[in-house]
Amino acid sequence: MVTGRSTGSAAPSSASALGAVVLDRKDFGGPAAAQPATPVPARGSEYAVLLRRVRHAGLLDRRPRYYLAKTAAVAGAFAAGWAAFVALGESWWQLAVAAFLAAVFAQLAFLGHDAGHRQIFRTRRANYLYGLIAGNLAIGLSIGWWTSNHNRHHAHPNTEGADPDIMGILAHSDERARTGKGVRGFIFRHQGWLFFPMLLLEAGSLHYASVRAVLRWAIPNRFWEGVLLAAHAAGYLAAVFLVLSPAKAVAFVLVQQGLFGFYMGCTFAPNHKGMAVLAEDDATDFLRRQVLTSRNVRGGRVVDLALGGLNYQIEHHLFPSMPRPNLRKAQPLVARFCGEIGVPYCETNLLDSYAQALRHLHTVGRGVGGGLAREAVATGSLAGRESD
């Protein structure tokens, strides 16, 4: 068992009050992490110092070969999945194909995410066109809606009243939990138990939000976004209902979309749930705002693939346009820098990240004070333990 503790010297008071969980310095991995701390130059803000180091290391440079190979692999899996679907025909084995395509849809969503952050190409237009294909056409999610929504999250992570990701069906703070009435109140009270079952509805929620945004929001290229969403829906449903009987077709859709949403929710859950929740008027600086509200998940290349690079959530939030394969290289550099300036850096394994998130949701839902929850996190009694 490893008990969470700070990466460096005592954190500033603003960091301590937020109560993030951190692990021992040795857990950051890699030879670079074990090197002595380098004194931080006085010139510029702390984030500016870190940014210079990252740029000097070439970690913001584009990785076209990586994305060419990744795109080819995912596109090949997408084509293979639908080819298997046609070849199998009227069979209950199609549910296995549905599960496979759920995973492929998630990998396409990760590529759309990278395009939305302009990680793939240098120009905004090229990234947007890529996102239209990977998002709107291939999996039925609007890249315009997602980019607008996700940028708000990055600007105000885990911030009450500003981060759309914590303004949905779950309560992440005491204050929000107290607003729950009726069905919403029931969900809040039992959200720790309901979290994973509700993820089966996540894909439906994403599709609904995409269509609503195209119809109501002033997103760019609404017409073409709508056309591609309609093309996806028509092609998907036509293929399913032409090949399968109605009962099998409905089962296929439920399994494929349910597991797609479940997979996506499982990649989001470790990132911020159980970390510091900030007030809308919080004045924490950019670097601490991003680090203290985020959690990394370690686990090697398999976890990198499964979570689409989002397991390096701290590095991703500090440098959203950093190409996915560079996040792994940036991790020891960022962790070491946080140790130098005394900012807690949270990293754990995958299972413990889920345990931390669920304990937090359960604690908030049961009405334990938000301050108490944060204090428990800070001392390690709520979420600062892990087993390897």
Side-chain angles (χ1 to χ4, degrees), residues 23 27-28 296-300 303 311 347-350 386 388:
L23 300 177
D27 291 317
F28 297 143
N296 272 20
V297 178
R298 64 170 175 264
V303 171
N311 47 311
E347 185 181 54
T348 187
N349 63 43
L350 184 61
E386 70 166 334
D388 292 311

Side-chain angles (χ1 to χ4, degrees), residues 4-30:
R5 49 190 179 272
S6 174
T7 60
S9 58
S13 57
S14 60
S16 303
L18 293 171
V21 186
V22 294
L23 300 177
D24 194 290
R25 190 65 207 100
K26 69 183 179 63
D27 291 317
F28 297 143

Side-chain angles (χ1 to χ4, degrees), residues 16-316:
S16 303
L18 293 171
V21 186
V22 294
L23 300 177
D24 194 290
R25 190 65 207 100
K26 69 183 179 63
D27 291 317
F28 297 143
Q35 295 173 3
T38 303
V40 180
R43 180 168 57 95
S45 70
E46 290 168 333
Y47 180 74
V49 173
L50 178 59
L51 179 60
R52 284 196 294 271
R53 294 186 186 182
V54 166
R55 279 183 173 156
H56 181 73
L59 297 176
L60 295 178
D61 295 346
R62 295 290 178 268
R63 297 287 299 274
R65 291 183 181 178
Y66 169 87
Y67 279 110
L68 178 62
K70 177 68 71 174
T71 301
V74 176
F78 182 82
W82 285 112
F85 173 81
V86 173
L88 269 177
E90 177 71 9
S91 169
W92 285 108
W93 284 106
Q94 292 284 17
L95 298 186
V97 177
F100 174 77
L101 284 173
V104 174
F105 271 37
Q107 291 297 322
L108 282 164
F110 295 149
L111 287 171
H113 166 272
D114 293 0
H117 280 296
R118 296 201 287 174
Q119 295 176 16
I120 302 177
F121 302 103
R122 293 189 180 279
T123 68
R124 182 187 300 272
R125 179 179 177 81
N127 282 293
Y128 178 69
L129 291 175
Y130 186 102
L132 280 176
I133 296 170
N136 294 57
L137 184 59
I139 62 176
L141 301 184
S142 164
I143 186 65
W145 161 75
W146 178 86
T147 302
S148 174
N149 196 69
H150 196 61
N151 285 346
R152 291 166 58 205
H153 159 70
H154 268 264
H156 305 283
N158 266 24
T159 303
E160 289 284 4
D163 181 0
D165 287 2
I166 65 168
M167 295 161 59
I169 199 169
L170 301 176
H172 294 267
S173 69
D174 235 27
E175 293 74 13
R176 180 164 173 78
R178 284 195 292 266
T179 67
K181 307 295 181 184
V183 174
R184 184 178 291 273
F186 175 84
I187 292 174
F188 286 173
R189 288 193 299 275
H190 302 282
Q191 60 185 9
W193 297 102
L194 294 174
F195 176 70
F196 281 114
M198 286 193 301
L199 291 184
L200 295 170
L201 304 175
E202 178 67 13
S205 174
L206 294 173
H207 291 309
Y208 171 75
S210 294
V211 172
R212 182 182 60 180
V214 168
L215 293 176
R216 298 182 182 179
W217 290 15
I219 60 175
N221 305 304
R222 287 174 60 188
F223 174 78
W224 290 111
E225 291 241 1
V227 167
L228 291 176
L229 287 180
H232 167 82
Y236 179 92
L237 294 175
V240 171
F241 281 93
L242 285 174
V243 171
L244 301 176
S245 66
K248 289 187 178 69
V250 170
F252 180 93
V253 172
L254 290 176
V255 170
Q256 197 272 328
Q257 291 293 311
L259 291 180
F260 169 44
F262 187 85
Y263 188 163
M264 294 304 297
C266 285
T267 65
F268 303 152
N271 301 340
H272 302 283
K273 290 176 175 59
M275 298 304 295
V277 177
L278 310 179
E280 192 168 3
D281 59 352
D282 186 90
T284 304
D285 66 88
F286 175 81
L287 186 148
R288 286 170 175 78
R289 176 178 293 271
Q290 304 300 332
V291 175
L292 297 175
T293 60
S294 303
R295 176 193 295 110
N296 272 20
V297 178
R298 64 170 175 264
R301 302 281 182 182
V302 173
V303 171
D304 291 2
L305 173 64
L307 300 187
L310 297 179
N311 47 311
Y312 300 106
Q313 191 69 192
I314 294 173
E315 289 70 32
H316 173 58

